[in-house]
Amino acid sequence: MTNYQGHEQLRDDMAALSNAMSDLRLHIRALEVKYHDGCPALVDALAADFLRNLNAEYLTVYLRVLAFSDCFHD
């Protein structure tokens, strides 16, 4: 038995959001690896620092979306 009768669209929308956020997080992480601190140019080091901070902040929001999505039980 589900706990979201009448709210199927909300569940589907949250699932789509979490999937899109997962894809974006993988992209941010790939850029973080590409522009790592070991790169010789200053701009690369700045990008690495920015991406590392962005990834950490984004993870916080992503985990909240996943927690909300987990509230829907089939």
Side-chain angles (χ1 to χ4, degrees):
M1 181 167 153
T2 65
N3 68 346
Y4 55 88
Q5 294 85 3
H7 301 283
E8 290 80 9
Q9 185 61 56
L10 174 60
R11 181 197 181 274
D12 293 345
D13 288 343
M14 293 306 297
L17 176 62
S18 65
N19 287 336
M21 290 182 78
S22 176
D23 293 343
L24 181 56
R25 185 158 188 275
L26 290 174
H27 187 75
I28 292 169
R29 181 66 185 125
L31 290 174
E32 187 181 355
V33 169
K34 182 177 181 180
Y35 299 103
H36 56 86
D37 286 332
C39 291
L42 175 61
V43 72
D44 291 336
L46 291 173
D49 186 58
F50 168 76
L51 291 164
R52 186 173 38 257
N53 290 329
L54 176 66
N55 192 25
E57 291 178 28
Y58 189 79
L59 178 59
T60 300
V61 175
Y62 177 52
L63 289 175
R64 291 180 66 193
V65 169
L66 288 177
F68 185 79
S69 293
D70 196 41
C71 293
F72 296 102
H73 299 286
D74 290 324

